[in-house]
């Protein structure tokens, strides 16, 4: 349950639906255009693009270096860019360093790589708590990190859109790039989960 639901307010999804209905009734938007936009973000723009970037970095050391040095340019090499895809900075997780992304102001996010932000990413409770108590929030989301793992919270904005390069799971050395793509999740690229071995 989100903080909004706990407080007795309608969820963001319900408010969005009501706003869309109102705009359609007043003739301000065309529902067919809205449907096309949603389809675009569900099929052409989304976590699969980010997963391709991660798998490429795992299998091509030269690409990994370029990605960590200049995320925007390196992701464009694979054809991913455009609005909300500018100013991408990539940080790498390891056994001892863990990065997690939040946007404390709103919901800044690398849309061309991850698609639409999930509702929990926009939830005021996540935005406030992950800064103050990241280990606790990650644990509540199912990611328990050892006490000696250093956690860094990255605050996204319109000037910097963070992307996490997750740690490659052990036992995947023989997998192809395409097979690795299938393992990478949106949550791992935000830093609230790890990539699980097959």
């Amino acid at each position: 349950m989100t903080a909004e639901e706990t407080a007795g307010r309608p969820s963001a999804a319900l408010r969005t639906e009501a706003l869309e209905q109102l705009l359609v009734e007043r003739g301000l938007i065309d529902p067919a255009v809205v449907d096309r936009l949603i389809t675009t973000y569900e099929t052409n723009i989304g976590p699969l693009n980010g997963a391709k970037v991660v798998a490429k970095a795992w299998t091509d050391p030269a690409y990994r270096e370029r990605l960590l040095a200049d995320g925007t340019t390196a992701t464009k090499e694979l054809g991913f860019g455009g609005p909300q895809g500018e100013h991408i900075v990539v940080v790498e997780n390891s056994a001892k360093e863990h990065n997690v992304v939040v946007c404390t102001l709103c919901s800044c996010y690398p849309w061309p790589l991850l698609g639409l932000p999930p509702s929990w990413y926009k939830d005021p409770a996540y935005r406030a708590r992950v800064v103050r108590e990241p280990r606790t929030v990650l644990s509540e989301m199912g990611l328990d990190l050892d006490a000696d793992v250093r956690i860094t919270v990255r605050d996204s904005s319109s000037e910097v859109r963070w992307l996490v390069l997750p740690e490659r799971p052990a036992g995947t050395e023989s997998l192809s790039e395409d097979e690795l793509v299938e393992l990478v999740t949106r949550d791992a690229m935000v830093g609230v989960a790890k990539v699980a071995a097959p």
Side-chain angles (χ1 to χ4, degrees):
M1 180 175 283
T2 67
E4 293 170 326
E5 290 166 336
T6 302
R9 293 190 304 261
S11 69
L14 275 176
R15 293 197 311 269
T16 302
E17 190 175 321
L19 178 61
E20 179 184 352
Q21 188 174 8
L22 183 64
L23 293 171
V24 169
E25 287 173 2
R26 294 190 178 188
L28 298 173
I29 61 171
D30 180 346
V33 172
V34 173
D35 289 344
R36 278 201 300 275
L37 283 170
I38 291 171
T39 299
T40 296
Y41 277 98
E42 286 179 343
T43 57
N44 302 329
I45 298 172
L48 180 60
N49 295 346
K52 289 177 181 175
V53 169
V54 169
K56 177 76 171 170
W58 283 347
T59 57
D60 182 341
Y63 181 76
R64 176 183 159 277
E65 282 188 29
R66 294 196 301 279
L67 182 67
L68 293 172
D70 182 347
T72 305
T73 301
T75 54
K76 281 183 181 173
E77 281 182 38
L78 300 186
F80 308 129
Q84 315 298 322
E86 312 92 348
H87 317 296
I88 291 176
V89 178
V90 180
V91 287
E92 186 173 31
N93 281 351
S94 68
K96 294 298 176 188
E97 300 281 337
H98 189 87
N99 296 278
V100 60
V101 180
V102 66
C103 176
T104 56
L105 292 177
C106 49
S107 58
C108 293
Y109 193 75
W111 288 24
L113 299 174
L114 300 183
L116 298 173
S119 58
W120 57 260
Y121 186 82
K122 298 178 279 187
D123 191 310
Y126 171 78
R127 290 161 39 199
R129 290 187 60 222
V130 78
V131 174
R132 293 193 314 263
E133 46 183 353
R135 194 175 300 274
T136 300
V137 171
L138 292 175
S139 179
E140 289 171 0
M141 296 180 83
L143 177 59
D144 291 312
L145 297 171
D146 291 339
D148 62 343
V149 175
R150 190 169 74 124
I151 300 173
T152 302
V153 179
R154 306 287 182 174
D155 193 359
S156 273
S157 67
S158 58
E159 287 80 31
V160 177
R161 296 180 191 277
W162 295 98
L163 177 74
V164 172
L165 175 59
E167 187 179 9
R168 182 173 178 170
T172 60
E173 295 76 13
S174 63
L175 297 184
S176 69
E177 191 173 317
D178 288 342
E179 290 170 324
L180 289 169
V181 166
E182 295 180 17
L183 302 180
V184 182
T185 65
R186 174 202 63 203
D187 289 359
M189 294 181 280
V190 177
V192 299
K194 287 191 170 189
V195 176

